[in-house]
Amino acid sequence: YTVKVQYGPPNVVVETNFEFTGPTTIPTTQIFEVNAGKEGTFDVVFNTRVGTVKDMVIDFEGLALIVSIDSTSDGTITLKIPRALMDAKTTSGDDDVFIVLIDGAEVEAQQTATTSSRTLTINFLQGDSDIEIIGTQIVPEFGAIAALVLAVAIISIIAVSAKTRLRLMPKY
């Protein structure tokens, strides 16, 4: 840019040049509803600089949240993940770090925590498409239904064994 200033009766002209290399896009905060099956949906607040979020899905077996992005150039994404959806804890119950993979390669992420959520800021490169965030616990896929099925199964076994006099130890 060139700025030219002209002032006064003696007609003084001053000119200066500068280059502005600020952000080309301003990140906006958005909410993505992650479907957790029978457990309902969870709101993941995110903002991204350069690129768009196409989808977020839960991998129940891998204890992971997979974020699909369309990255037109290098950028960052910040995700605020509710602890009710997923978390990373040590065996003693303290906060642990999430493992973050971009297209299968492990990357570092800036991580902060509050009592209700975990926030991750992840840098990505142009062409990256899948960000996988792996924790130690994720919302149960079946939750209360699994506990109910287990309880019914145990009660059924007790009832059948009482009626048929099924014994675990042989009688001599």
Side-chain angles (χ1 to χ4, degrees):
Y1 295 94
T2 301
V3 176
K4 190 183 274 189
V5 178
Q6 182 177 343
Y7 65 92
N11 233 0
V12 177
V13 177
V14 178
E15 186 176 305
T16 186
N17 296 316
F18 68 93
E19 184 176 328
F20 179 69
T21 58
T24 56
T25 60
I26 298 171
T28 57
T29 301
Q30 299 176 351
I31 296 174
F32 196 98
E33 287 188 359
V34 178
N35 184 0
K38 292 183 174 45
E39 296 298 320
T41 60
F42 291 85
D43 291 342
V44 175
V45 178
F46 73 95
N47 66 49
T48 181
R49 183 172 301 217
V50 182
T52 56
V53 173
K54 296 191 297 188
D55 198 14
M56 289 188 201
V57 295
I58 298 174
D59 175 7
F60 291 102
E61 290 180 15
L63 301 175
L65 176 67
I66 300 172
V67 181
S68 298
I69 61 170
D70 182 19
S71 56
T72 55
S73 63
D74 297 358
T76 62
I77 185 169
T78 300
L79 299 155
K80 185 176 180 182
I81 303 169
R83 287 183 187 264
L85 173 62
M86 77 177 298
D87 209 350
K89 297 279 190 184
T90 62
T91 53
S92 63
D94 297 327
D95 283 343
D96 200 358
V97 295
F98 286 105
I99 298 170
V100 179
L101 307 173
I102 297 181
D103 292 336
E106 188 170 351
V107 297
E108 292 292 321
Q110 180 183 351
Q111 302 184 28
T112 58
T114 66
T115 55
S116 62
S117 67
R118 304 283 299 265
T119 303
L120 285 82
T121 301
I122 305 163
N123 296 320
F124 57 83
L125 301 175
Q126 179 180 356
D128 288 343
S129 61
D130 288 324
I131 300 172
E132 187 173 356
I133 302 163
I134 303 170
T136 58
Q137 59 193 45
I138 200 153
V139 65
E141 185 174 10
F142 302 109
I145 294 173
L148 181 63
V149 169
L150 180 62
V152 168
I154 291 172
I155 291 170
S156 298
I157 291 170
I158 292 171
V160 167
S161 64
K163 281 193 171 206
T164 60
R165 300 193 189 266
L166 179 66
R167 296 177 191 238
L168 296 177
M169 299 297 291
K171 192 174 183 181
Y172 295 104

